[in-house]
Amino acid sequence: HPPPNPNMLKTEIDPPIDREAVVRRLAATYDDGRYTDAWERVQEYQSYLEYTNRNPEASAYAVASALGIPRGRVRPWMDDNSAPDPVRAIEIADDRGWLDLCWAEPPFTGLNVIVAWIFSGGSITEQTKVPLLAVDEETHPVAITALNTIGLTDVRTTRVHEDNRAMELIPTTDASILGRLLVALGAPLGVKTSSPQLSLPGYLATAPQTIRLNFARTYVWNRGTLRPDRPNTPVQIREKRSPQYRHEIQALFNSLVPDATRGKSATHRLSTEAALQLHQPPTLGGGVPK
């Protein structure tokens, strides 16, 4: 049977301070190829650590027999001090403080903006799980601040096309771990426009307004097009995505600014008040959006 789609599980994180839900979804990003049930492998490794701590002289055969784990799996854990990939990912994320999340504090304030960036001006490469943030001269410093907020200061900037000014930011340390964590929080993996399952992160349903506002501001700032010729709807966003997804985005905007956008068109036309409130950079660094 096909591996589970991590994006189908996003409602399990409610709210993001649920550490176990985040950890399980992070492990689930390894449910392809080498692992058929990465969380089960994590649990096996935890059992292995507990057993060998109690029985430090036990052989690989004894450990495997006691735990019902293949000896070929246990031996490299014992002999080479290796660990399953999802275990290493969890350890790295934990060391960086990415698993004990609180709504109003870093690193979640930064992660929320980066998740919104993936939806609105970035991507997570399906094969490598590395996140890419599209930026220009105006948005570049805010993306850098968001990455710094989660503890990443080593970032590479590449130009997408040499004949224009398009750029992408790529973390150079623990990039794939970050990408997997973003997926665990609800960010889309791979191409967004072709996914009928594309949906906003489940945590937005219960997040405080400051979190939802920062998400919406990041989204509108990246995707919004200024229309000075239309003073009543001065910002528009063209969505080549499913009707259900467009409805979710519209509901988010309208929850923050009454009647921010109306209708069921593939183009969201923001009202003057919505444009004023939402077409601006998110607030980072401990500040509270106004």
Side-chain angles (χ1 to χ4, degrees), residues 186-234:
L189 179 64
V191 179
K192 297 184 286 289
T193 54
S194 63
S195 173
Q197 299 170 343
L198 185 67
S199 182
L200 290 179
Y203 68 76
L204 290 176
T206 53
Q209 180 161 325
T210 53
I211 294 297
R212 293 185 293 113
L213 184 57
N214 256 359
F215 189 99
R217 284 179 170 174
T218 304
Y219 196 97
V220 174
W221 199 42
N222 275 322
R223 291 186 61 81
T225 300
L226 295 177
R227 294 298 304 266
D229 57 319
R230 295 182 177 180
N232 293 328
T233 54

Side-chain angles (χ1 to χ4, degrees), residues 145-221:
T145 300
L147 290 167
N148 289 349
T149 300
I150 66 170
L152 294 183
T153 57
D154 192 2
V155 180
R156 177 166 54 95
T157 303
T158 63
R159 293 201 176 273
V160 182
H161 302 292
E162 293 298 336
D163 58 348
N164 62 33
R165 303 181 67 82
M167 297 181 290
E168 286 181 336
L169 293 183
I170 306 172
T172 55
T173 305
D174 297 332
S176 65
I177 306 301
L178 173 60
R180 291 175 184 276
L181 178 71
L182 297 175
V183 172
L185 290 172
L189 179 64
V191 179
K192 297 184 286 289
T193 54
S194 63
S195 173
Q197 299 170 343
L198 185 67
S199 182
L200 290 179
Y203 68 76
L204 290 176
T206 53
Q209 180 161 325
T210 53
I211 294 297
R212 293 185 293 113
L213 184 57
N214 256 359
F215 189 99
R217 284 179 170 174
T218 304
Y219 196 97
V220 174
W221 199 42

Side-chain angles (χ1 to χ4, degrees), residues 4 6-7 9 13 21-35 38 84-90 92-93 98-99 101 111 114-115 118 123-132 150 152 171 173-190:
N7 290 328
L9 306 174
I13 297 185
V22 177
V23 168
R24 290 181 67 112
R25 282 178 49 86
L26 176 57
T29 65
Y30 288 89
D31 283 346
D32 54 19
R34 185 176 179 183
Y35 301 96
D85 293 335
V87 170
R88 293 296 189 201
I90 293 168
I92 291 171
W98 292 347
L99 299 180
L101 301 174
L111 287 169
I114 298 170
V115 170
I118 297 299
S123 62
I124 300 174
T125 306
E126 193 160 3
Q127 183 175 6
T128 64
K129 309 300 187 295
V130 171
L132 312 172
I150 66 170
L152 294 183
T173 305
D174 297 332
S176 65
I177 306 301
L178 173 60
R180 291 175 184 276
L181 178 71
L182 297 175
V183 172
L185 290 172
L189 179 64

Side-chain angles (χ1 to χ4, degrees), residues 19-87:
R19 176 188 171 98
E20 183 179 353
V22 177
V23 168
R24 290 181 67 112
R25 282 178 49 86
L26 176 57
T29 65
Y30 288 89
D31 283 346
D32 54 19
R34 185 176 179 183
Y35 301 96
T36 56
D37 189 336
W39 180 242
E40 180 179 353
R41 192 63 56 86
V42 171
Q43 292 177 305
E44 285 181 349
Y45 188 77
Q46 290 173 340
S47 298
Y48 155 78
L49 291 179
E50 293 169 0
Y51 185 86
T52 52
N53 283 337
R54 296 193 309 266
N55 303 276
E57 301 301 324
S59 65
Y61 177 81
V63 173
S65 298
L67 300 179
I69 301 175
R71 184 168 50 168
R73 188 177 300 166
V74 171
R75 186 170 296 283
W77 297 350
M78 297 190 72
D79 295 347
D80 304 327
N81 195 31
S82 66
D85 293 335
V87 170

Side-chain angles (χ1 to χ4, degrees), residues 233 250 254 258-271:
T233 54
Q250 185 178 51
N254 288 342
D259 295 322
T261 178
R262 298 179 178 181
K264 299 181 179 180
S265 168
T267 299
H268 297 301
R269 294 180 173 86
L270 300 188
S271 68

Side-chain angles (χ1 to χ4, degrees), residues 133-149:
L133 306 183
V135 296
D136 56 25
E137 290 185 355
E138 183 180 23
T139 62
H140 180 275
V142 176
I144 290 291
T145 300
L147 290 167
N148 289 349
T149 300

